Amino acid sequence: MKERDPDVLCVSETWLLPETPDKFVSFDNYSIFRCDKGRGGGVCIFVRKTFNVTPLHIHLDRPTGVEDVWVTLQCRKLPSIIVGCLYRHPMAPTQTFNYVGEILKQLLLTKKNFYVLCDFNDDFLSSNCNLKKILANTRLCQVIDKPTRTTSHCATLL
């Protein structure tokens, strides 16, 4: 955090437990917003305290296998934006993509710019990628277009 000095940092697979106090994972001059799962999941967003931040509650039943947290950021008199951090477990049922699609539809209705930083555990380079179908239906785009995980025998964009 000190080296890059970001305004916003989204972290997936935090592995934090709900009873873990914020002070154990906080940084000076940053607010933290969390959705905890414990081992193998969880997400959080760190936001510089110079922003006005409001937690955004998505009024959908979150399925098992997904954690997400959403905030609205306001900087001075600029238009506010929405930032979300979402993690979908690799073994989560395919139906969890319905939840993702519904969230994106709700965000589009807000008429605000939004950014979703996530790990869907769905290979965007694959021809049967569920996320591609969702993005096509909502006319949104994936910004990262190069593999995020490369091994000696494959490359994936998760």
Side-chain angles (χ1 to χ4, degrees):
M1 291 290 276
K2 289 181 181 179
E3 183 179 314
R4 299 281 182 176
D5 198 32
D7 289 327
V8 178
L9 175 69
C10 294
V11 181
S12 62
E13 290 195 69
T14 60
W15 289 38
L16 296 175
L17 299 171
E19 58 270 14
T20 305
D22 285 350
K23 67 181 180 180
F24 289 163
V25 293
S26 64
F27 296 96
D28 290 341
N29 301 315
Y30 287 88
S31 300
I32 184 172
F33 302 88
R34 301 168 31 180
C35 178
D36 300 331
K37 159 93 171 42
R39 185 176 171 89
V43 293
C44 73
I45 302 175
F46 294 95
V47 181
R48 186 181 304 284
K49 289 186 177 178
T50 55
F51 290 90
N52 291 324
V53 183
T54 305
L56 178 64
H57 301 284
I58 303 293
H59 299 289
L60 295 171
D61 291 329
R62 181 185 304 129
T64 301
V66 175
E67 288 92 47
D68 58 339
V69 63
W70 303 88
V71 295
T72 301
L73 305 178
Q74 179 75 47
C75 181
R76 297 182 201 97
K77 294 184 179 189
L78 296 172
S80 64
I81 63 168
I82 297 171
V83 175
C85 186
L86 187 144
Y87 176 71
R88 182 185 164 275
H89 296 261
M91 302 311 249
T94 304
Q95 295 86 339
T96 55
F97 286 104
N98 296 337
Y99 176 73
V100 173
E102 288 303 314
I103 286 174
L104 294 178
K105 287 176 188 174
Q106 282 193 17
L107 292 174
L108 285 167
L109 291 173
T110 68
K111 306 276 192 230
K112 294 183 183 197
N113 289 330
F114 62 89
Y115 302 88
V116 183
L117 295 99
C118 52
D119 181 353
F120 286 114
N121 281 302
D122 188 34
D123 186 8
F124 201 74
L125 301 177
S126 168
S127 60
N128 62 347
C129 174
N130 291 290
L131 181 58
K132 279 183 185 176
K133 297 169 194 165
I134 293 170
L135 295 182
N137 288 334
T138 56
R139 296 186 180 180
L140 296 171
C141 66
Q142 164 77 14
V143 175
I144 309 298
D145 60 359
K146 304 216 178 345
T148 54
R149 180 178 291 165
T150 306
T151 67
S152 59
H153 60 280
C154 72
T156 56
L157 174 50
L158 302 178

